[in-house]
Amino acid sequence: LAKTTQPISMDSYEGQEVNITCSHNNIATNDYITWYQQFPSQGPRFIIQGYKTKVTNEVASLFIPADRKSSTLSLPRVSLSDTAVYYCLEDGGATNKLIFGTGTLLAVQP
Amino acid sequence: DSGVTQTPKHLITATGQRVTLRCSPRSGDLSVYWYQQSLDQGLQFLIHYYNGEERAKGNILERFSAQQFPDLHSELNLSSLELGDSALYFCASSVGITSSTDTQYFGPGTRLTVL
């Protein structure tokens, strides 16, 4: 299966903007890109989803370039409570394809 | 609280045994997805059911099976367990038939330990 790669870890400080990128070298035409947040011993929680260009909601922005070979999750002004693992997901919907990235551990320092 | 419930929270069993994990989706959700999360394989999609019908299969072993009942709860059956099956098993639910434009809500997971 295609690999969806992310940096293993990132460090940041409170109040900074954090950008986490995922590569989608084998993304299919019908695939959407979704990002999830996961805290220890909890299930993943939906953050944002998009197909191309830019999507923004109350907690994050998602940037997807025209070739869709990557996606970038942007978290504005992170806080300590944003320390978690962040996963990207290539979601082929009705196909058999639901491929999670390798996950990025974001550590936010005071 | 996502509204998705999973039981049991923890399960410890021996190799060769069979276990059943249960998932109750959020009220009104017709889709249930099962995932396995392990340290070496990460999050892997296993299987998707919509309104009682199997819709898609991912990396699900033949020793594993699932079903969704008329009341929409789902069970994941794992048999002939091996040490490598030790993992967190999550279910997620969503309203519609396709996850690509639908939000999936994950349960708290069942931690399976095979000794």
Side-chain angles (χ1 to χ4, degrees):
Chain A
L1 286 176
K3 287 284 187 183
T4 305
T5 56
Q6 308 175 226
I8 293 175
S9 63
M10 295 182 70
D11 293 322
S12 183
Y13 292 94
E14 282 191 293
Q16 288 188 331
E17 178 185 72
V18 171
N19 297 309
I20 306 173
T21 297
C22 186
S23 68
H24 306 282
N25 292 320
N26 293 290
I27 194 165
T29 303
N30 295 329
D31 290 351
Y32 279 70
I33 297 169
T34 310
W35 281 80
Y36 286 86
Q37 176 192 56
Q38 187 177 28
F39 296 110
S41 301
Q42 294 186 25
R45 187 175 70 171
F46 174 89
I47 302 174
I48 197 166
Q49 182 182 71
Y51 183 79
K52 60 181 177 182
T53 64
K54 177 181 175 182
V55 178
T56 298
N57 62 21
E58 62 275 8
V59 298
S61 294
L62 177 59
F63 301 91
I64 302 172
D67 65 4
R68 304 202 329 121
K69 296 297 186 184
S70 66
S71 66
T72 299
L73 173 71
S74 181
L75 303 173
R77 298 179 298 282
V78 295
S79 64
L80 296 176
S81 63
D82 292 319
T83 294
V85 179
Y86 292 82
Y87 290 95
C88 60
L89 168 67
E90 290 177 9
D91 191 338
T95 69
N96 289 351
K97 183 182 177 184
L98 280 163
I99 299 177
F100 277 93
T102 48
T104 298
L105 173 59
L106 172 65
V108 180
Q109 311 284 348
Chain B
D1 185 1
S2 66
V4 178
T5 60
Q6 289 187 247
T7 56
K9 192 172 177 64
H10 300 279
L11 196 49
I12 301 174
T13 188
T15 54
Q17 295 298 304
R18 172 190 167 94
V19 297
T20 297
L21 313 184
R22 182 188 169 104
C23 169
S24 293
R26 291 187 329 150
S27 176
D29 285 357
L30 298 179
S31 274
V32 170
Y33 301 80
W34 285 98
Y35 296 90
Q36 180 192 61
Q37 186 173 36
S38 61
L39 281 174
D40 55 343
Q41 297 289 329
L43 264 166
Q44 295 217 55
F45 164 63
L46 296 179
I47 198 164
H48 169 209
Y49 278 84
Y50 175 78
N51 203 21
E53 301 285 331
E54 181 186 303
R55 291 293 303 176
K57 271 186 174 180
N59 298 322
I60 188 165
L61 300 172
E62 286 194 12
R63 300 183 285 109
F64 296 0
S65 64
Q67 54 184 328
Q68 187 180 27
F69 295 87
D71 67 353
L72 301 176
H73 90 273
S74 178
E75 293 180 356
L76 178 68
N77 301 296
L78 315 176
S79 62
S80 302
L81 286 167
E82 302 174 358
L83 295 177
D85 298 327
S86 295
L88 262 172
Y89 291 84
F90 290 105
C91 78
S93 73
S94 67
V95 171
I97 196 170
T98 176
S99 59
S100 58
T101 53
D102 227 357
T103 298
Q104 290 189 49
Y105 294 88
F106 281 74
T110 293
R111 182 174 293 280
L112 174 66
T113 302
V114 182
L115 301 176

